[in-house]
Amino acid sequence: MTRAAIYRMTVADFLDYGHRYCIEYRFPATACPPERAAQMSVAQGRVEEIVLFPGVELVLSDIDVIHPYASHSLGSAARLLVVVIEGRVRLGSNTEQRWLTAGQAHSLCLNDRQVLDAYQPEGQRLRTLCLSLDETAMHQWCGETFPAEPSSTWSLTHALNLSLEQSFHSPLTGLPRRLLFQGLALQLLAQGQAPPSRESIQVTASPSRLESVRRLLEEAPEREHRLEVLAARAAMSPSTLVRRFKTAYGCSPIDYLRRMRLSLARELLLDGHSIQQAAHLSGYRHASNFTTAFRRAFGVSPSTLTRHHQ
């Protein structure tokens, strides 16, 4: 897959990827077997696979999730790291689940005793980084004394999170690009072994309050939301809410609201609504402001989607 290509990913594409990487995919939005729904669109965007070193593989995903999907990893890796740059992913089984949100990472040793279940909700832009190392690569990169902890979840430092953000837009290709991600991969491995920072402890002190704000913005993006009201809902000052929201989800509450509105508007356009209707129903008062924001976010004008629907 080329780094610049933006394309539609179907059920068949996911099944093909699953065959190569020993991952079982499920698609709750369809009632028929995946093989019969092969051409159903699941996501749209870019996926890049990079071999950083023999036994070290990196997968970068930057997609808009159209329909929800779940995955069950059956392969093996001496160390697997999943990093969320934007969006959210639910990890675990029905008995033990956790949400991995923007700016967080999860690492584990993948084998027949420990598998990885994940669920990706629809209606979101999802940017993730998955890094896997086999046993030989772990010894060559990290030495035989590298601790093999079962699993752990942590928040990225601001500096590393910013570096990963910039790497997604890096124009580098070939060897320079591979070297860039080799350095970031080593930083991720190092940070995964460091004790939790004071900032991480503070952020997780009131996750339910932050989550209530995020859910409100996600479930009612068309409503008018003021930062002062959101801060009162979370029992924080506006500046504290912005800082903790950014650390937990990778952006400010207002930026998150803008993404939710544009995601809703995109679905409305695909369902056949006019530009004026999509703008109004997603919370935009002026169609011109909506058109500018939409083009900046998706790289195309809203009229492109209305013509496509017609």
Side-chain angles (χ1 to χ4, degrees):
M1 304 177 186
T2 60
R3 187 161 52 91
I6 298 177
Y7 70 104
R8 180 177 67 99
M9 284 167 271
T10 64
V11 169
D13 293 324
F14 276 84
L15 294 180
D16 176 67
Y17 182 85
H19 288 319
R20 289 189 287 125
Y21 287 93
C22 298
I23 301 174
E24 291 182 352
Y25 284 101
R26 293 184 293 104
F27 308 93
T30 176
C32 58
E35 292 76 10
R36 292 179 55 189
Q39 297 309 309
M40 185 185 83
S41 296
V42 179
Q44 176 177 297
R46 299 189 296 261
V47 176
E48 181 182 5
E49 303 170 41
I50 309 174
V51 177
L52 299 180
F53 193 79
V56 183
E57 296 184 353
L58 180 71
V59 178
L60 302 172
S61 298
D62 185 353
I63 61 175
D64 290 313
V65 183
I66 301 171
H67 291 293
Y69 62 95
S71 59
H72 180 69
S73 299
L74 301 172
S76 61
R79 185 58 53 93
L80 174 67
L81 284 86
V82 180
V83 182
V84 176
I85 308 300
E86 181 177 352
R88 59 196 181 104
V89 178
R90 189 179 69 203
L91 301 179
S93 62
N94 291 330
T95 57
E96 184 181 353
Q97 298 179 348
R98 66 171 61 86
W99 283 102
L100 201 65
T101 57
Q104 290 186 314
H106 180 76
S107 67
L108 73 159
C109 176
L110 197 63
N111 50 43
D112 55 356
R113 298 183 304 277
Q114 185 165 236
V115 299
L116 180 65
D117 291 319
Y119 173 78
Q120 290 81 0
E122 76 280 13
Q124 63 167 334
R125 184 182 181 187
L126 184 62
R127 289 190 294 159
T128 60
L129 178 153
C130 293
L131 175 69
S132 65
L133 297 88
D134 64 18
E135 198 70 41
T136 301
M138 283 288 291
H139 289 169
Q140 292 179 333
W141 266 30
C142 310
E144 297 185 8
T145 59
F146 193 85
E149 297 180 0
S151 65
S152 61
T153 301
W154 72 95
S155 295
L156 303 175
T157 63
H158 176 71
L160 181 53
N161 193 42
L162 181 60
S163 296
L164 291 174
E165 279 273 4
Q166 294 172 341
S167 70
F168 267 76
H169 306 290
S170 171
L172 295 176
T173 60
L175 178 60
R177 185 169 179 81
R178 193 166 72 249
L179 292 173
L180 168 67
F181 281 104
Q182 281 183 4
L184 292 173
L186 289 170
Q187 291 183 59
L188 284 169
L189 289 170
Q191 193 178 124
Q193 295 301 312
S197 65
R198 178 181 298 272
E199 181 182 20
S200 300
I201 296 173
Q202 291 175 345
V203 167
T204 56
S206 55
S208 60
R209 295 175 182 175
L210 287 177
E211 180 64 11
S212 71
V213 172
R214 190 202 63 76
R215 287 186 63 86
L216 175 63
L217 299 178
E218 180 182 65
E219 294 171 0
E222 74 284 355
R223 290 166 49 184
E224 188 72 25
H225 297 284
R226 294 194 301 116
L227 183 60
E228 294 78 6
V229 177
L230 296 174
R233 181 186 183 92
M236 304 175 188
S237 68
S239 60
T240 299
L241 173 63
V242 170
R243 175 170 54 82
R244 294 190 178 181
F245 199 97
K246 277 186 176 180
T247 304
Y249 303 113
C251 63
S252 70
I254 301 305
D255 286 338
Y256 191 87
L257 173 61
R258 184 180 301 111
R259 294 174 185 175
M260 293 300 100
R261 284 179 171 174
L262 291 172
S263 179
L264 172 60
R266 182 178 179 277
E267 294 301 317
L268 292 169
L269 291 170
L270 291 174
D271 286 341
H273 289 76
S274 68
I275 295 176
Q276 188 71 38
Q277 290 171 331
H280 175 72
L281 293 174
S282 59
Y284 282 88
R285 295 182 179 179
H286 304 289
S288 59
N289 293 341
F290 163 67
T291 299
T292 301
F294 193 94
R295 185 183 291 111
R296 185 180 298 118
F298 297 113
V300 296
S301 65
S303 60
T304 304
L305 271 66
T306 57
R307 289 196 301 269
H308 174 74
H309 181 269
Q310 294 169 355

